[in-house]
Amino acid sequence: MNLFEFSEEQNMLRDMVREFVNEEVKPVAGQIDENEEIPQDLIKKIGEVGLFGTVFPEEYGGGGFGEVGYCIAQEEMARGCLSTATMIGAHMSIGTNAIFLGGTEELKQKYLPKLCSGEMLGAFGLTEATAGSDSFNVRTRAEQDGDDWILNGEKLWITNGGIADVVSVFARTERGVTAFAVETKWDGYHAGPKEKKMGIRGSATNAITFDNVRVPGENMIGPNGRGFLIAMKTLDAGRLGLGACCVGAAKELIELSTQYAKERKQFDEPISHFQAVQFMLAEMWAITYAMESIVYRTAVDYDAGKKIATQSAAVKYLCSEGLDKVVDMAVQIHGGMGYSRELPIERMYRDSRINRIFEGTNEIQKLVISHDVLRRNGAWNV
Amino acid sequence: MNIFVCVSHVPDTTTKVQVGEDGKSIDPSGVTWILNPYDEYAVEAALQLKEAREGEVTVVCFGPDAVKETIRKGLAMGADKGLHIKSDQPRDSFGTAKALAETLKDREADVIFCGRQSIDYDGWQMAGLLGEMLDLPSVTVASKLEIKEDGSIEAEREIEGGMETVVSKLPAVISAQKGLNDPRYPKLQGIMQAKRKPIEDVEPSPYKNRVEVLEMSKPPVKSAGKIVGEGPDAVKELVKLLHEEAKVI
Ligand SMILES: Cc1cc2nc3c(=O)[nH]c(=O)nc-3n(C[C@H](O)[C@H](O)[C@H](O)COP(=O)(O)OP(=O)(O)OC[C@H]3O[C@@H](n4cnc5c(N)ncnc54)[C@H](O)[C@@H]3O)c2cc1C
């Protein structure tokens, strides 16, 4: 079996997203960064072509492309704009996916079609002041009131927090961490101002607060007290998508850098004739090849129903470090132009850095991997 | 309304095309194939017409099995069915038109769309040949098109140095020019549905090419450009060289 033979549909998906990104996203990517906002009409177009539901089955209004297709689409999106890819990822791969993986059939029917079509936008609300890396330590409370639940608390750093319609929120009940699908239009939901960030500035990141938000019982995602498991399963998939974004950005940087190296002349020669530059390109390519390989290998396994928690932690960790190396070399090859806001390289350099932090810092990924390695060898008792 | 779109399966515009070993055909190795860009306008026009009226859009392609992929691109954009005229033997324009015409003649087409030209062999002949063979009016290189309820057609055509407005009546053959519309992206659901939509296979009657390709070659490599100077001072030298060396003025 050849793992990397994409199907005709997968190739068609890639072609479509690439064309979409070239025509609709790349021309505004600089503006998205400057204005710190993704234009509404771009969000609308993304919904129209179906890119808010790529991963989910067709019966819920999704594209039916699974994780491999989702990775292809995110890879292409991240070539143009990591802010936009992050907005889509938070919506689909973690926000909506929590409902898909944990929700009852009724809950899925209630939200998935609208979330897949882009009529509604999703978000994922786990992180709090006390629950960053220690994500189990959430303090947002959910108290039962008849059939409903009353939410109180605050979440930090929530991607799409200010623009989403539905947030998958992780709160504490008497039985432990429990997930709820919370509509942002409900009374008591507030989003704070957008965080001022180094990169992915177009992606809205907000603190959100729940002030006696009344959530109907049917909106509980999965059983009471089982929310943390849902969060972790959701993040397994999210981390693959993150890896795919890194692959896309890295491929774009190789293309831009190769082009630049061929055109830029110093000492009467294109800089591509200098071995120092050639070696940077070689490293960039080799790193990206490895990144691409682990992303799709793991995505194929995920679609086949295999457990990939450790693997996706490795994907997240290696791809985010890989992209940081690649983007650093891309800046170097471009010299002063790499530092200028005239070219996308500078933005991509700032955008890259977040990947080592969100969806669990790389230190936490190493924790996950090492625990598994030790456990498998009988040396760890957890 | 019964709408047909004739499409062709061509090398991607970014592919570096090489001449094959026989010296008279394109080397297919390493080529990625796409739906002919002008045919995208034709598919879009067909879909818009279907959406404005009731109807069905069928994508038609002549060629080997590989062209099914291109038919499915049309289906992914939203066409309803495919029609594959199977042949492993490449044909000249007349032969291709003949295969299309004999397949379409009894299918009661209201409109047959195609692109103004196929970017592989650049014949620019299909709409004209099809119109003649099917005894239908053909409106070629349409950059603006209106098909009214009563079946009358008004189209703008690009002609050398200007525009021409023509009227005609359905049934007709119409070839699409760039600018006719803004072809849609295939939606994700469309891509998935494409494989489930029916493609009918038909065999063309035999044909012997009337035009034979003897040789195919790449254009001669351009010699390097020359910068004769900068600013207004260079004009004199430039004019002199254009006159004496290039002999164009
Ligand atoms: C732009 C952006 C978007 C985000 N989007 C979302 C979102 O949509 N939803 C959401 O829920 N969250 C989101 N987050 C939150 C993100 O997941 C957290 O920031 C991240 O998990 C780290 O938590 P923290 O910031 O509290 O860092 P801390 O946990 O305080 O970590 C600080 C440092 O200590 C290290 N550290 C902590 N514990 C350990 C340990 N046990 N062993 C070794 N090292 C350790 C960390 O690795 C890090 O280097 C987002 C964050 C950002 C910046």
Side-chain angles (χ1 to χ4, degrees), chain A residues 8-10 12-13 15-17 19-20 23-24 48-51 53-55 58 61-65 116, chain B residues 33-34 40 68-70 72-74 76-77 182-196:
Chain A
E8 185 180 310
E9 292 84 55
Q10 287 166 340
M12 232 193 256
L13 170 71
D15 290 347
M16 185 282 267
V17 186
E19 198 184 326
F20 183 88
E23 309 250 320
E24 315 287 344
E48 278 167 5
V49 293
L51 286 171
T54 316
V55 71
E58 289 170 276
F65 280 90
C116 287
Chain B
W33 299 87
I34 57 167
E40 284 190 25
K68 281 214 164 71
E69 197 180 319
T70 284
R72 280 193 287 270
K73 282 185 190 154
M77 285 174 77
D182 193 5
R184 66 195 64 189
Y185 301 104
K187 291 184 170 58
L188 266 64
Q189 285 86 351
I191 294 174
M192 272 299 177
Q193 281 159 11
K195 227 181 190 147
R196 302 196 285 264

Side-chain angles (χ1 to χ4, degrees), chain A residues 86 90 94 123-135 155-161 168 170 195 197 199-200 203-206 235 354 356-365 367:
Chain A
T86 300
I94 51 179
F124 181 83
L126 178 63
T127 305
E128 298 184 9
T130 54
S133 295
D134 186 12
S135 55
K155 296 280 173 189
L156 300 181
W157 302 110
I158 305 307
T159 303
N160 299 347
S168 297
F170 298 85
E195 301 293 345
K197 305 195 295 293
I200 56 163
S203 150
T205 318
N206 312 72
L235 287 169
I354 186 59
R356 284 161 59 192
I357 299 169
F358 66 3
E359 302 220 12
T361 64
N362 283 9
E363 291 70 37
I364 295 303
Q365 308 307 320
L367 220 78

Side-chain angles (χ1 to χ4, degrees), chain A residues 2-171:
Chain A
N2 186 347
L3 279 178
F4 296 104
E5 197 71 68
F6 291 116
S7 69
E8 185 180 310
E9 292 84 55
Q10 287 166 340
N11 286 329
M12 232 193 256
L13 170 71
R14 187 185 289 281
D15 290 347
M16 185 282 267
V17 186
R18 180 166 300 182
E19 198 184 326
F20 183 88
V21 168
N22 285 342
E23 309 250 320
E24 315 287 344
V25 181
K26 278 188 185 171
V28 294
Q31 177 199 322
I32 287 174
D33 178 56
E34 283 294 322
N35 301 350
E36 311 212 353
E37 188 165 36
I38 299 166
Q40 271 307 317
D41 76 307
L42 176 58
I43 296 180
K44 197 169 151 255
K45 284 179 191 162
I46 292 168
E48 278 167 5
V49 293
L51 286 171
F52 278 134
T54 316
V55 71
F56 301 115
E58 289 170 276
E59 69 221 66
Y60 296 112
F65 280 90
E67 194 64 22
V68 172
Y70 171 69
C71 287
I72 291 171
Q74 283 298 77
E75 198 195 310
E76 292 301 324
M77 194 56 73
R79 287 183 91 121
C81 177
L82 192 63
S83 286
T84 307
T86 300
M87 182 269 294
I88 296 173
H91 152 84
M92 178 160 39
S93 173
I94 51 179
T96 307
N97 204 24
I99 300 176
F100 175 69
L101 290 177
T104 58
E105 190 54 36
E106 292 74 42
L107 195 64
K108 288 194 247 187
Q109 292 295 350
K110 183 172 173 184
Y111 288 117
L112 258 82
K114 287 181 181 162
L115 286 160
C116 287
S117 71
E119 189 185 326
M120 285 182 141
L121 194 70
F124 181 83
L126 178 63
T127 305
E128 298 184 9
T130 54
S133 295
D134 186 12
S135 55
F136 188 69
N137 196 13
V138 297
R139 301 280 168 91
T140 294
R141 285 189 330 276
E143 274 156 4
Q144 196 153 17
D145 181 36
D147 287 340
D148 299 341
W149 292 83
I150 310 294
L151 253 60
N152 278 291
E154 184 182 32
K155 296 280 173 189
L156 300 181
W157 302 110
I158 305 307
T159 303
N160 299 347
I163 56 172
D165 301 284
V166 188
V167 186
S168 297
V169 176
F170 298 85

Side-chain angles (χ1 to χ4, degrees), chain B residues 207-224:
Chain B
Y207 173 78
K208 190 169 173 315
N209 278 334
R210 297 176 174 196
V211 176
E212 191 190 345
V213 178
L214 293 181
E215 192 192 324
M216 211 181 259
S217 63
K218 302 199 103 178
V221 186
K222 275 193 205 142
S223 52

